[in-house]
Amino acid sequence: MTVWDDLQGQPAVVEQLRLASRGEGLTHAWLFTGPPGSGRSNAAKAFAAALNCDQDDVARRGCGECPACLTILGETHSDVTYVRTEKVTITIDEARDLVSKAGNRPSSGRWRIIVVEDADRMAERTTNVLLKAIEEPTPRTIWMLCAPSPADVLVTIRSRCRAVALRLPPAADVAALLVKRDRVDPVLAERAARAAQSHVGIARRLARDPEARERRLETVRFPLALRGVTAAVMMADKLVKIATAEANSSNEERDAAEKAALLATLGAPESGTLPPTMRSQVRQLEDDQKRRAKRSITDSLDRTLTDLLSFYRDVLIIQLGNAVELVNVELRGELEEFAARSAPETTLARMDAINKARQRITTTNVAPLLTIESMAASLI
């Protein structure tokens, strides 16, 4: 086992990072780009582990077994900082804190490494706070920024970074990873990988959670019953509820664990009213969790619309002659009947309506239900 094992379907990226970890082409700033599910943050984490691996033999760095590799992969290494936001943006204060950390020498490893997983969620003025530190880093500091595409990062930043471009791995590679790492049944793994459209995290959840598979199938089948405005309104309401349920299912357990950990750290009494100082800290945690829940619902709704989009993608493929494999193979019969009732131009217009709704939900402060209702009406 090595740190590179989880980077399925990325041979060129693995080779690039493996060579850099040995000193060939190593630079102080890196920009990892690729669509959601391509493994941007996993690639950065693996690279960080290889750079600070305890192995003296450069050919073995990234072994995945030494204390440095294990702590970096587990996100507990003192010299590697991971930055991800549960909010809409990374704040200026958070950016200033990163600059301060980047100026420190590594305490035990070769490098002080800053991994910013949501570099696309920084406003221009926030990014400018990092510019000087990335442009002229301290000698033992390496920055790793992750974003969906180079265009999501200011040109002044990306021009100072070495590019690492990832792609979505083939579904077969994702299925193989689920079988190897999570011991998923091969048939279920293949089905989950295809339904997730090669998004590793989504594929794992679909493979593990029967309810998640059922919610996805319900979403994909919605267009089959779309016959009028009333049905469109009902579909929009159901889509929002599905996305909310999906987000809540992953948040509730984490929220409870975080609150229990905070109370234990504060030495809170097992029963009775909390002291005012403790109440304020609990209230701050709950406010942060509410903001995270809002972001989670937005992300979940975007994923739900992506599942819906896969229905029309399959319809278009059938209308154009079945040139590539369907995502929803189990619905082929129903997809073919649906495809026969419209033209490719109509299908493209419907796909465009879904993508516009996704953009509005993820980039503007709109009411999700109203946006989805408008989109659903255009699908009739």
Side-chain angles (χ1 to χ4, degrees):
M1 175 184 175
T2 72
V3 298
W4 313 110
D5 288 352
D6 284 355
L7 299 182
Q8 292 290 321
Q10 311 286 352
V13 168
V14 169
E15 183 63 15
Q16 178 186 11
L17 299 180
R18 196 194 301 272
L19 290 174
S21 69
R22 299 172 182 174
E24 301 179 37
L26 182 61
T27 188
H28 65 279
W30 297 76
L31 176 60
F32 294 80
T33 60
S38 59
R40 300 184 302 260
S41 58
N42 285 342
K45 186 183 295 185
F47 187 31
L51 286 169
N52 274 345
C53 178
D54 289 334
Q55 297 291 342
D56 293 327
D57 182 357
V58 294
R60 296 189 59 202
R61 286 183 184 162
C63 67
E65 299 174 352
C66 68
C69 282
L70 293 175
T71 54
I72 291 172
L73 295 178
E75 302 188 11
T76 58
H77 195 284
S78 60
D79 292 328
V80 182
T81 300
Y82 295 93
V83 184
R84 57 179 69 92
T85 182
E86 304 288 358
K87 299 173 286 186
V88 176
T89 60
I90 294 174
T91 65
I92 286 183
D93 287 341
E94 289 171 319
R96 287 173 178 151
D97 185 50
L98 290 181
V99 172
S100 177
K101 286 182 179 179
N104 298 330
R105 290 183 59 83
S107 59
S108 61
R110 298 180 190 87
W111 303 96
R112 169 75 59 182
I113 300 173
I114 311 291
V115 181
V116 183
E117 295 187 6
D118 301 297
D120 56 310
R121 290 186 178 270
M122 291 189 291
E124 182 174 351
R125 61 194 184 119
T126 304
T127 307
N128 286 333
V129 172
L130 302 181
L131 182 58
K132 186 70 172 178
I134 292 177
E135 188 176 29
E136 299 177 7
T138 51
R140 307 304 296 176
T141 297
I142 293 179
W143 289 84
M144 300 182 190
L145 310 182
C146 305
S149 74
D152 292 312
V153 179
L154 284 180
V155 65
T156 50
I157 292 288
R158 67 174 184 261
S159 64
R160 291 162 172 80
C161 298
R162 180 156 297 168
V164 180
L166 292 92
R167 62 186 180 91
L168 280 175
D173 287 349
V174 175
L177 179 63
L178 294 178
V179 172
K180 177 182 177 182
R181 185 177 59 189
D182 301 303
R183 301 185 184 281
V184 176
D185 175 77
V187 174
L188 177 58
E190 188 275 333
R191 187 180 305 162
R194 189 181 64 248
Q197 298 178 68
S198 294
H199 189 300
V200 177
I202 300 297
R204 181 180 297 142
R205 191 178 77 248
L206 291 175
R208 290 176 169 179
D209 187 351
E211 292 184 1
R213 295 197 295 272
E214 186 60 34
R215 286 193 293 267
R216 182 192 178 278
L217 183 60
E218 184 179 5
T219 297
V220 173
R221 292 178 61 88
F222 269 130
L224 297 173
L226 202 55
R227 295 288 187 269
V229 174
T230 300
V233 172
M234 293 176 63
M235 168 181 148
D237 180 67
K238 190 64 176 177
L239 284 174
V240 173
K241 286 180 178 177
I242 288 174
T244 303
E246 189 76 11
N248 289 341
S249 67
S250 60
N251 281 336
E252 288 174 357
E253 186 175 342
R254 179 168 56 170
D255 288 352
E258 287 177 346
K259 187 172 182 179
L262 175 62
L263 292 174
T265 301
L266 296 175
E270 295 184 3
S271 60
T273 304
L274 293 175
T277 54
M278 291 186 183
R279 285 203 301 269
S280 64
Q281 293 186 60
V282 171
R283 191 178 305 113
Q284 179 62 51
L285 174 64
E286 290 173 345
D287 289 342
D288 290 342
Q289 289 175 341
K290 287 178 183 177
R291 285 191 289 269
R292 181 173 67 196
K294 183 178 180 181
R295 159 87 184 269
S296 295
I297 291 173
T298 298
D299 291 345
S300 180
L301 188 54
D302 181 64
R303 185 64 213 178
T304 299
L305 293 180
T306 301
D307 290 334
L308 181 65
L309 192 63
S310 73
F311 175 92
Y312 291 102
R313 175 258 191 202
D314 285 349
V315 168
L316 184 64
I317 286 172
I318 292 171
Q319 291 172 332
L320 297 178
N322 291 293
V324 297
E325 186 179 13
L326 302 183
V327 170
N328 305 289
V329 174
E330 63 276 11
L331 299 180
R332 176 175 281 278
E334 293 164 298
L335 287 164
E336 289 176 344
E337 290 181 12
F338 191 95
R341 297 199 297 267
S342 64
E345 293 79 8
T346 301
T347 304
L348 285 170
R350 289 166 170 165
M351 294 174 72
D352 186 55
I354 296 173
N355 280 322
K356 285 180 178 177
R358 291 178 61 200
Q359 184 177 22
R360 291 189 187 112
I361 287 170
T362 56
T363 62
T364 62
N365 191 25
V366 297
L369 182 57
L370 293 177
T371 301
I372 303 302
E373 285 178 346
S374 175
M375 176 207 75
S378 68
L379 301 179
I380 300 173

